[in-house]
């Protein structure tokens, strides 16, 4: 063993270390398989226990980064960014994840910011997304460059394989709640566009706006409760309660 400046506390903590340096691990089996990796900080039972040669991870919480072999992740929360299947296939890197079970299935997705209880907990390969709030994007499987802020925004349907849309922005609780393969949607407001599934290029602004739409595209709806009855494609609806009694 040639490694130095390592500190391991707990049964099997840093037990396979060889030339790795400047690692700190506390908790049973934390950093258990780390060999040549450096600059890792691991706290919790099985925290970072599959890491081997990786660098500069911060993992706090039981089983956080437990099956992941990525680098430069900052993870906090039980089962956060744990990964699934074979650790060698999980190399998610440069992610910031915080919350109970947040991004727990992350495998190869990179450069994500995911904060909140069970936020993005089904995502595997998606990258460059920002999810903020409890259960945000809860059933999303993949998709890149999505932004969702607010409880259950961009949640997706329970069939995770259907939730693959990219480049959506949803802000507000339940905003874009049912988006599946839809892309380039901008949705702002409580429950705004909450029925959009496969629709693309929609702009929705207002609480409860465009709540009747599912697959249509290219609509502009602005106003609280606007567009709750009319859902035609390429529509422009502006004003509070506009097109609600048609």
């Amino acid at each position: 063993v040639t490694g130095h400046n390592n500190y391991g506390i707990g049964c099997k903590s840093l037990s396979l270390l060889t030339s790795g340096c400047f690692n700190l691990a506390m908790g049973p089996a934390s950093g258990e398989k780390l060999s040549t990796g450096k600059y890792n900080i691991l706290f919790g039972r099985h925290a970072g226990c599959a890491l081997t040669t990786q660098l500069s991870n911060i993992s706090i919480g039981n089983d956080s980064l437990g099956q992941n072999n990525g680098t430069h992740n900052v993870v906090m929360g039980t089962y956060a960014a744990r990964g699934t299947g074979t650790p060698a296939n999980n190399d998610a890197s440069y992610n910031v994840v915080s919350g109970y079970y947040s991004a727990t299935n992350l495998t190869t997705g990179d450069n994500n910011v995911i904060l909140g209880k069970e936020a993005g907990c089904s995502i595997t390969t998606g990258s460059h997304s920002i999810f903020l709030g409890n259960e945000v994007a809860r059933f999303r499987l993949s998709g890149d460059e999505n932004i969702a802020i607010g409880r259950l925004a961009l949640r997706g349907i329970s069939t995770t394989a259907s939730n693959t849309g990219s480049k959506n922005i949803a802000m507000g609780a339940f905003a874009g709640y049912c988006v599946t393969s839809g892309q380039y949607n901008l949705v702002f407001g409580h429950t705004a566009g909450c029925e959009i599934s496969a629709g693309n290029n929609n702009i929705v602004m207002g609480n409860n706006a465009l709540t009747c739409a599912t697959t249509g595209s290219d609509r502009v709806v602005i106003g609280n409760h606007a567009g709750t009855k009319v859902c035609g494609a390429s529509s422009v609806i502006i004003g509070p309660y506009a097109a609600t009694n048609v």
Side-chain angles (χ1 to χ4, degrees), residues 21-54:
C21 305
F22 303 104
N23 296 290
L24 174 60
M26 297 180 65
S30 57
E32 176 185 8
K33 296 179 182 178
L34 200 64
S35 57
T36 62
K38 300 178 180 179
Y39 311 113
N40 296 287
I41 299 174
L42 313 170
F43 291 94
R45 181 182 65 85
H46 293 163
C49 65
L51 297 174
T52 56
T53 64
Q54 289 70 35

Side-chain angles (χ1 to χ4, degrees), residues 102-154:
S102 56
T104 190
N105 287 303
L106 194 63
T107 56
T108 60
D110 301 325
N111 299 290
N112 296 291
V113 177
I114 302 176
L115 309 177
K117 180 179 73 72
E118 297 182 6
C121 64
S122 299
I123 197 165
T124 58
T125 61
S127 297
H128 302 283
S129 291
I130 299 173
F131 299 141
L132 307 178
N134 290 340
E135 298 183 79
V136 168
R138 190 185 193 286
F139 292 125
R140 306 216 70 75
L141 178 68
S142 60
D144 301 326
E145 298 176 340
N146 291 298
I147 298 175
I149 301 175
R151 185 169 69 92
L152 290 166
L154 278 185

Side-chain angles (χ1 to χ4, degrees), residues 179-223:
V179 171
T180 54
S181 60
Q183 302 188 90
Y184 300 100
N185 295 292
L186 305 179
V187 184
F188 298 90
H190 185 277
T191 67
C194 63
E195 295 296 332
I196 295 174
S197 58
N200 303 316
N201 303 300
N202 294 292
I203 299 174
V204 184
M205 300 179 68
N207 295 326
N208 205 44
L210 195 64
T211 56
C212 64
T214 56
T215 60
S217 300
D218 303 305
R219 288 167 297 212
V220 176
V221 178
I222 300 174

